Amino acid sequence: MTLTQDSERVEQAALLSRSVDDFVRRGTDVSRMRRLRDTEPGFEPSMWSQFAEFGWLATLIPEEHGGLGLGLSEQRIVLQGLARVLTPEPLAACAMAICALRHFPASKICSELLPRIAAGEVIAALAWQDTDELAPTTKDAPRLHGPADAYELTGTSRFVHGAHGASGFVVYCEADAGPALVWVPSDSPGLRIETVPLADGGRAASLHCASVPILSAHLITCGAQARTVLENALDEGMVMIAAELCGVMGGAMDMITSHLCTRVQFGKPIGSFQALAHKAVDLYIQQQLSSAVVDQAVAQMDAGCDQRQRSMIASRAKARCSDAALRITRDAIPLHGAMGFTDEFDIGLYLKRAIVLSSWLGNAASHRRRFAALNDVSSR
Amino acid sequence: MSAAQAVSRPDYNAMENDAFRREARAFFAAHFPDNMRFIMRRMRWADMKDWYVAAGREGWLAPNWPREWGGLGLTPEKRLIYLEEQEEWGISRTHEHGVVQVGPILMKYGSTEQKQTYLPRILSGEHLWAQGYSEPNAGSDLASLSTSAVIEGDHFVVNGQKIWTSLADDATHIYMLVRTDSSRKKQEGISFLLADLKSPGITIRPIRTIGGHPELCEVFFDDVRVPRENLVGELNQGWTVAKSLLSHERINIGSPRRPQYALRRLEQLARAKGLFEDQGFVDRFTSISLDMADHVSLYLRYVEIMKQGGELGQDVSMLKIWITELWQRITELLLEVSGSHAAVPGILSMEGVDVDVLSTFYYARASSIYGGTNEIQRNVLAKYVLKLPN
């Protein structure tokens, strides 16, 4: 990238950041998420159309498919900004599916889907795991069988985020010739979508496939490439969720500092007591470490780096942000006193979103182990 | 240094970063004594003299000073590279107050005569400076200091006591904050004074640290006569003078290098002992390694601001808090990994790895105290960054 392109991109990022902030101030707030808790699909389709108009669904989609052809640096701005007010729309989930699809510009199904996703007409989700661990494909995993003109998919994908309201799924499965990625429309016969309610009032799903017919045109890829593309999409997903966790941290820190400045006890604002002020500073340091790692992750991934480096920085970002967001939102509860323990008060919603995001795509402990394993391969 | 000599040296600021890095590394490798590398305490003059004089003579002692005064005149970016290479090479801290504090302060506030008298003698090693700031009753609350300086004719008469003055028994001069007016608000009655440590009435008592080295001192002043021309800046402006150091000096204390060295020793020792076969240990080691890696990401954010020529705000204090406490955790794990050896002072040989476990551990203890305690840094962040009420 040349210097002019670079400074242009910085300028565009600043513009994007302003428009997201502006939207968050005027167009939405935490009460919307509160209202949509435990409903289906759990978000507002009208809001989704608005995101499409803003171009926020098109960020990662290549220009030749109706997208903006931008990178994680820009996607991060949108995700982090919206997560500050716990936006319920499944932006990160859909973006992960985009990350898988955009690797196949020549594929007919991908070139059909991508422009429609950018326009907000199609919502996609990625289905890849069948246990609660950070490893795809075990015994229950979906299997693709049958002849090319009559493929069928059987098996279960679990913890599929963004499944409700999705038009279809990019499903990672095992075929005779190795791993494969297929497109499964959500109205396919034989597909049962079982709701898994989540802590924050959102929803994940288990996809139970019983001989679901798969058009040969819907076979996206088969063989080693399927695994590589999945891993890339997951690494990108980890960083995107880390960015959302940064947004959650930002919203929670705002609540904490504002409470410490306004709540008066013993005749003083409680933020004047060192025990509380120092705790807030330690949380702030965690927030800053988190955003610094995400800065580095999006820059490194956008600049292009090898698979191992991508996975290492993605695990670093997901590990730090998961731990930091849980710590900040957990400590935020007692900092708000008994009020913090009520459902009525918003800080609990931040804790619950942090729980959901930190356990999605691997928690901190599993990412530290993944990092250690990746680090081991080359250096020792 | 003559102007002719100054221009004969290459323009380091114009060099590519990597080329300058190689240049710095080569200089340290050629001039710093091998047996002095990575020593976990402040080194005394007798041990460091040859290195100091050579670095001063070659113009490599003062990266932050302009070339006209014999420094390297580096840009902030190049200065960071200098610092990184210095720490990477394990150059011990020694008499640095002249270069780091007195020089920049005199260049900003000193008279022409003060600059001409003191600056060349800092680089030659003729003058070694100690810092007289803290007092027994003025530590974190430095502005409440009470050592007094009363004008009598051409002199100030100084009475009182300074403490925690590193290597004062080794130094020739002291720069100090003294009370020159006790009727004003505490910050407004302080002046910045230079004194010769050989002046009659000065008594120096070394203090051994928990590491067993006499690095710190107490300095007593009993009717010490200091010439009036040793006042730096205006009378009662000492607080402003002392606080004037540029914000980018404050990033130095957040540098990861020394703790990274401790982490590498920990890794070597743990590997030699087969601890990487133990998942419990691997988990703890990985966690601490990521705390370091993420610190580096945060540190680089500030480096980037400096490269762009920006000023660092009060938020830079968080680097000091995080890295010093991480450094301490690393050395705690080092102690644990050393098993029964942890109780033995000195350089130990364990499974073929030589490491001075206790010195490493003790050295890290000081880091959360000096340069403003971590509790004071938290107060600063609470007040200026989080804007919490007082």
Side-chain angles (χ1 to χ4, degrees), chain B residues 125-142:
Chain B
E126 189 183 332
H127 288 175
L128 301 176
W129 288 89
Q131 182 188 67
Y133 282 7
S134 294
E135 296 182 5
N137 292 316
S140 292
D141 181 13
L142 183 59

mmCIF file of all heavy atoms in Angstrom, chain B residues 125-142:
data_model
loop_
_atom_site.group_PDB
_atom_site.id
_atom_site.type_symbol
_atom_site.label_atom_id
_atom_site.label_comp_id
_atom_site.label_asym_id
_atom_site.label_seq_id
_atom_site.Cartn_x
_atom_site.Cartn_y
_atom_site.Cartn_z
ATOM 1 N N GLY B 125 32.748 12.582 32.524
ATOM 2 C CA GLY B 125 32.755 11.773 33.731
ATOM 3 C C GLY B 125 33.423 12.471 34.903
ATOM 4 O O GLY B 125 33.549 11.897 35.993
ATOM 5 N N GLU B 126 33.827 13.709 34.696
ATOM 6 C CA GLU B 126 34.452 14.456 35.799
ATOM 7 C C GLU B 126 33.424 14.740 36.894
ATOM 8 O O GLU B 126 33.725 14.695 38.073
ATOM 9 C CB GLU B 126 35.023 15.764 35.241
ATOM 10 C CG GLU B 126 35.885 16.531 36.213
ATOM 11 C CD GLU B 126 36.363 17.854 35.612
ATOM 12 O OE1 GLU B 126 36.490 17.950 34.363
ATOM 13 O OE2 GLU B 126 36.585 18.801 36.375
ATOM 14 N N HIS B 127 32.195 15.047 36.462
ATOM 15 C CA HIS B 127 31.104 15.258 37.425
ATOM 16 C C HIS B 127 30.116 14.105 37.353
ATOM 17 O O HIS B 127 29.620 13.777 36.280
ATOM 18 C CB HIS B 127 30.336 16.545 37.095
ATOM 19 C CG HIS B 127 31.097 17.797 37.399
ATOM 20 N ND1 HIS B 127 30.618 19.038 37.087
ATOM 21 C CD2 HIS B 127 32.306 17.990 37.993
ATOM 22 C CE1 HIS B 127 31.497 19.958 37.470
ATOM 23 N NE2 HIS B 127 32.536 19.348 38.014
ATOM 24 N N LEU B 128 29.845 13.534 38.513
ATOM 25 C CA LEU B 128 28.814 12.491 38.587
ATOM 26 C C LEU B 128 27.712 13.029 39.490
ATOM 27 O O LEU B 128 27.981 13.442 40.622
ATOM 28 C CB LEU B 128 29.400 11.209 39.172
ATOM 29 C CG LEU B 128 30.581 10.610 38.403
ATOM 30 C CD1 LEU B 128 31.126 9.397 39.147
ATOM 31 C CD2 LEU B 128 30.158 10.220 36.991
ATOM 32 N N TRP B 129 26.490 12.984 38.993
ATOM 33 C CA TRP B 129 25.387 13.634 39.701
ATOM 34 C C TRP B 129 24.511 12.658 40.470
ATOM 35 O O TRP B 129 24.193 11.576 39.996
ATOM 36 C CB TRP B 129 24.516 14.409 38.717
ATOM 37 C CG TRP B 129 25.196 15.648 38.206
ATOM 38 C CD1 TRP B 129 25.999 15.748 37.110
ATOM 39 C CD2 TRP B 129 25.176 16.943 38.807
ATOM 40 N NE1 TRP B 129 26.481 17.024 36.974
ATOM 41 C CE2 TRP B 129 25.979 17.794 38.009
ATOM 42 C CE3 TRP B 129 24.548 17.472 39.943
ATOM 43 C CZ2 TRP B 129 26.176 19.140 38.310
ATOM 44 C CZ3 TRP B 129 24.735 18.815 40.229
ATOM 45 C CH2 TRP B 129 25.543 19.651 39.427
ATOM 46 N N ALA B 130 24.120 13.099 41.672
ATOM 47 C CA ALA B 130 23.135 12.363 42.457
ATOM 48 C C ALA B 130 21.886 13.227 42.549
ATOM 49 O O ALA B 130 21.963 14.448 42.421
ATOM 50 C CB ALA B 130 23.673 12.072 43.846
ATOM 51 N N GLN B 131 20.737 12.577 42.755
ATOM 52 C CA GLN B 131 19.472 13.309 42.803
ATOM 53 C C GLN B 131 19.003 13.521 44.236
ATOM 54 O O GLN B 131 18.740 12.556 44.951
ATOM 55 C CB GLN B 131 18.389 12.538 42.037
ATOM 56 C CG GLN B 131 17.051 13.248 41.997
ATOM 57 C CD GLN B 131 15.962 12.380 41.412
ATOM 58 O OE1 GLN B 131 15.571 11.367 41.987
ATOM 59 N NE2 GLN B 131 15.464 12.758 40.253
ATOM 60 N N GLY B 132 18.898 14.773 44.653
ATOM 61 C CA GLY B 132 18.422 15.080 46.001
ATOM 62 C C GLY B 132 16.987 15.570 45.981
ATOM 63 O O GLY B 132 16.726 16.764 46.100
ATOM 64 N N TYR B 133 16.059 14.653 45.786
ATOM 65 C CA TYR B 133 14.637 15.007 45.793
ATOM 66 C C TYR B 133 13.969 14.515 47.085
ATOM 67 O O TYR B 133 13.523 15.296 47.895
ATOM 68 C CB TYR B 133 13.908 14.402 44.585
ATOM 69 C CG TYR B 133 14.098 15.129 43.254
ATOM 70 C CD1 TYR B 133 14.998 16.181 43.121
ATOM 71 C CD2 TYR B 133 13.373 14.748 42.130
ATOM 72 C CE1 TYR B 133 15.162 16.831 41.898
ATOM 73 C CE2 TYR B 133 13.533 15.399 40.908
ATOM 74 C CZ TYR B 133 14.433 16.438 40.789
ATOM 75 O OH TYR B 133 14.592 17.070 39.588
ATOM 76 N N SER B 134 13.918 13.177 47.268
ATOM 77 C CA SER B 134 13.170 12.622 48.398
ATOM 78 C C SER B 134 13.793 13.007 49.732
ATOM 79 O O SER B 134 15.000 13.212 49.839
ATOM 80 C CB SER B 134 13.150 11.096 48.317
ATOM 81 O OG SER B 134 12.434 10.670 47.196
ATOM 82 N N GLU B 135 12.929 13.079 50.728
ATOM 83 C CA GLU B 135 13.372 13.300 52.106
ATOM 84 C C GLU B 135 12.640 12.295 52.983
ATOM 85 O O GLU B 135 11.641 11.709 52.553
ATOM 86 C CB GLU B 135 13.020 14.734 52.535
ATOM 87 C CG GLU B 135 13.760 15.789 51.733
ATOM 88 C CD GLU B 135 13.437 17.214 52.195
ATOM 89 O OE1 GLU B 135 12.713 17.373 53.198
ATOM 90 O OE2 GLU B 135 13.924 18.142 51.519
ATOM 91 N N PRO B 136 13.123 12.132 54.233
ATOM 92 C CA PRO B 136 12.442 11.147 55.095
ATOM 93 C C PRO B 136 10.934 11.401 55.193
ATOM 94 O O PRO B 136 10.166 10.458 55.241
ATOM 95 C CB PRO B 136 13.133 11.336 56.441
ATOM 96 C CG PRO B 136 14.503 11.823 56.100
ATOM 97 C CD PRO B 136 14.330 12.679 54.876
ATOM 98 N N ASN B 137 10.504 12.675 55.181
ATOM 99 C CA ASN B 137 9.073 12.949 55.291
ATOM 100 C C ASN B 137 8.464 13.461 53.989
ATOM 101 O O ASN B 137 7.392 14.050 53.995
ATOM 102 C CB ASN B 137 8.816 13.953 56.423
ATOM 103 C CG ASN B 137 9.114 13.319 57.766
ATOM 104 O OD1 ASN B 137 8.729 12.177 58.028
ATOM 105 N ND2 ASN B 137 9.860 14.028 58.599
ATOM 106 N N ALA B 138 9.196 13.317 52.903
ATOM 107 C CA ALA B 138 8.660 13.754 51.615
ATOM 108 C C ALA B 138 9.030 12.720 50.556
ATOM 109 O O ALA B 138 10.084 12.776 49.938
ATOM 110 C CB ALA B 138 9.208 15.126 51.233
ATOM 111 N N GLY B 139 8.171 11.715 50.424
ATOM 112 C CA GLY B 139 8.401 10.656 49.434
ATOM 113 C C GLY B 139 7.443 10.862 48.283
ATOM 114 O O GLY B 139 7.677 11.677 47.401
ATOM 115 N N SER B 140 6.307 10.143 48.326
ATOM 116 C CA SER B 140 5.289 10.348 47.302
ATOM 117 C C SER B 140 4.789 11.793 47.333
ATOM 118 O O SER B 140 4.512 12.372 46.289
ATOM 119 C CB SER B 140 4.122 9.395 47.540
ATOM 120 O OG SER B 140 4.538 8.077 47.298
ATOM 121 N N ASP B 141 4.716 12.354 48.542
ATOM 122 C CA ASP B 141 4.289 13.760 48.693
ATOM 123 C C ASP B 141 5.531 14.639 48.659
ATOM 124 O O ASP B 141 5.899 15.286 49.635
ATOM 125 C CB ASP B 141 3.532 13.916 50.015
ATOM 126 C CG ASP B 141 3.039 15.338 50.238
ATOM 127 O OD1 ASP B 141 3.054 16.141 49.270
ATOM 128 O OD2 ASP B 141 2.634 15.643 51.374
ATOM 129 N N LEU B 142 6.196 14.636 47.503
ATOM 130 C CA LEU B 142 7.500 15.284 47.383
ATOM 131 C C LEU B 142 7.435 16.782 47.674
ATOM 132 O O LEU B 142 8.357 17.357 48.267
ATOM 133 C CB LEU B 142 8.044 15.051 45.966
ATOM 134 C CG LEU B 142 9.443 15.604 45.689
ATOM 135 C CD1 LEU B 142 10.472 15.002 46.627
ATOM 136 C CD2 LEU B 142 9.835 15.342 44.234
#
